[in-house]
C-alpha cells in the first residue's frame, strides 16, 4: 500500500473516481496530501525524517484534494493537508475534514493571528503578492494595487487567472478595503489594462515581461528566489534579472500577504506522527528552511528572512485579518466572472 501511495502523484492522484478502503500505514509513516509542489516541501520532509525517523509519503495535486479527503471519509489515508491561502485552509474546515491540533508546542511557536481559534488550521509561512516590474521599461519605484486600473498601464499588465486562489485572495482584500462596487470598477480597469488573456503561473508572467509582452505582472515574492537560483532551467535567471520587485501600498496599508498552512485530517490514521510533523514545521529549524530554501516569510517569531529576500526590500504587511479575507472570497470570485476578467482586455 505504501508503494501505491507514493505512486499517486500529480494528476494521477485525482484520476480515480471511486475511492477504496485504505488501512492505516505503519507507525513510522505520515501521509501528506499537498497542494504545495514537492520541490518546495521536500527539504522540510527530509529534515523531519532525519530528526524523527518517521517516513513522509506525499500525494501532490493542484486541486481537489479537500474533496478527495471528504469522499474517502473514514478510510482516507491522509494524515495532514498542506495548502496555500486562507481560503483553502478555511475551506478545509468548512468541508468538515479537519480536527483541532492540540499542541502546546504549536501554540507556543505560532502567534494566534496565524492559527484558527479552534485549532483547525495552522499557518506556516507568509508570501507577499507583489508587482514584478521591468527594469528597462518601468522607472517608478513605488506602486499601489489601486494604480493597476490606471489607463497609463493599458496593454502593459500580465497576470494569471483571476480565479486562481492567489488572485481571489488579493481581490477579496480589495473588497474588504473598498467594498464590492468599487472593487468591481477596479477589477474591470485592471482587465482593460491587460496585455493578453490571463494565463500561466506567476513565473510565466515574468517570462512575458522578459519577452517584452508586458511591463508589469502580479506575483508572489518567493518565485523571484526560485527563478534567481534555478540551475535546472537557467533561462529563468534571465527572466528574474529583467525585473525588480515593487511592494504595493507601502505608503498606506501595506502589501497583501498569502498564508501557507496545514490542517490535521479528521480521520488521520497516524495522528501522533502527524502532530509531530506539524510541530516540526512550526519549529525554528523548519522555519529557517522555509526562509532559506523557499524564500518565504516565516511566521514563527525570531526567525529572520533570508539575505536574498532582504535584498528585495522591506515588507510592510497589510494588517487586514485573515477572517476578513476569507469571508470576502466568494464575492471576489463572483466579481471575476462578472467583469469577464479571464476573457482578457477585449471583453
Amino acid at each position: 500500500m505504501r508503494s501505491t501511495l507514493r505512486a499517486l502523484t500529480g494528476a494521477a492522484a485525482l484520476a480515480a473516481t471511486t475511492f477504496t478502503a485504505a488501512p492505516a500505514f505503519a507507525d513510522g509513516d505520515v501521509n501528506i496530501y499537498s497542494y504545495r509542489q514537492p520541490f518546495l516541501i521536500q527539504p522540510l520532509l527530509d529534515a523531519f525524517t532525519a530528526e524523527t525517523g518517521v517516513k513522509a509519503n506525499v500525494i501532490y495535486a493542484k486541486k481537489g484534494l479537500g474533496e478527495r479527503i471528504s469522499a474517502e471519509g473514514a478510510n482516507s489515508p491522509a494524515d495532514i493537508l498542506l495548502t496555500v491561502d486562507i481560503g483553502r485552509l478555511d475551506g478545509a474546515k468548512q468541508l468538515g475534514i479537519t480536527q483541532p491540533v492540540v499542541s502546546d508546542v504549536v501554540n507556543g511557536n505560532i502567534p494566534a493571528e496565524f492559527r484558527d481559534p479552534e485549532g483547525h488550521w495552522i499557518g506556516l509561512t507568509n508570501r507577499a503578492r507583489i508587482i514584478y516590474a521591468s527594469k528597462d521599461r518601468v522607472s517608478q519605484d513605488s506602486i499601489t494595487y489601486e494604480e493597476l486600473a490606471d489607463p497609463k498601464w493599458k496593454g502593459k499588465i500580465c497576470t494569471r487567472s483571476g480565479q486562481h486562489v492567489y488572485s481571489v485572495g488579493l481581490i477579496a482584500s480589495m473588497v474588504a478595503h473598498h467594498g464590492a462596487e468599487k472593487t468591481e470598477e477596479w477589477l474591470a480597469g485592471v482587465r482593460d489594462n491587460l496585455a493578453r488573456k490571463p494565463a500561466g503561473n506567476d513565473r510565466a508572467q515574468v517570462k512575458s515581461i522578459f519577452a517584452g509582452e508586458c511591463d508589469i505582472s502580479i506575483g508572489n515574492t518567493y518565485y523571484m528566489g526560485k527563478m534567481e537560483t534555478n540551475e535546472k532551467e537557467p533561462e529563468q535567471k534571465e527572466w528574474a534579472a529583467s525585473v525588480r520587485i515593487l511592494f504595493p501600498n507601502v505608503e498606506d496599508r501595506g502589501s497583501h500577504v498569502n498564508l501557507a498552512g496545514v490542517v490535521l485530517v479528521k480521520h488521520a490514521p497516524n495522528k501522533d506522527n502527524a502532530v509531530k510533523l506539524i510541530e516540526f514545521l512550526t519549529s525554528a529549524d523548519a522555519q529557517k528552511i522555509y526562509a532559506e530554501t523557499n524564500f518565504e516569510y516565516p511566521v514563527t517569531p525570531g526567525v529572520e528572512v533570508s539575505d536574498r529576500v532582504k535584498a528585495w526590500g522591506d515588507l510592510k504587511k497589510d494588517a487586514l485579518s485573515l477572517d476578513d479575507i476569507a469571508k470576502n472570497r466568494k464575492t471576489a470570485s463572483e466579481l471575476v466572472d462578472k467583469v469577464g476578467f479571464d476573457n482578457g482586455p477585449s471583453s
Side-chain angles (χ1 to χ4, degrees), residues 227-240:
M227 289 185 291
E228 289 177 333
T229 59
N230 195 324
E231 300 298 337
K232 292 183 178 180
E233 300 177 73
E235 66 272 17
Q236 292 194 12
K237 294 183 179 182
E238 293 185 79
W239 306 349

Side-chain angles (χ1 to χ4, degrees), residues 202-213 227 239:
D202 284 358
R203 294 192 215 203
Q205 315 313 317
V206 178
K207 180 182 179 182
S208 292
I209 294 175
F210 172 76
E213 297 172 8
M227 289 185 291
W239 306 349

Side-chain angles (χ1 to χ4, degrees), residues 8-23:
L8 286 171
T9 57
L14 300 177
T17 56
T18 59
F19 302 98
T20 56

Side-chain angles (χ1 to χ4, degrees), residues 38 41-54 56 277 280 289:
I41 62 172
Q42 198 58 51
L44 293 149
L45 301 182
D46 290 343
F48 171 71
T49 299
E51 180 175 307
T52 65
V54 176
L277 177 55
F280 174 79
I289 295 174

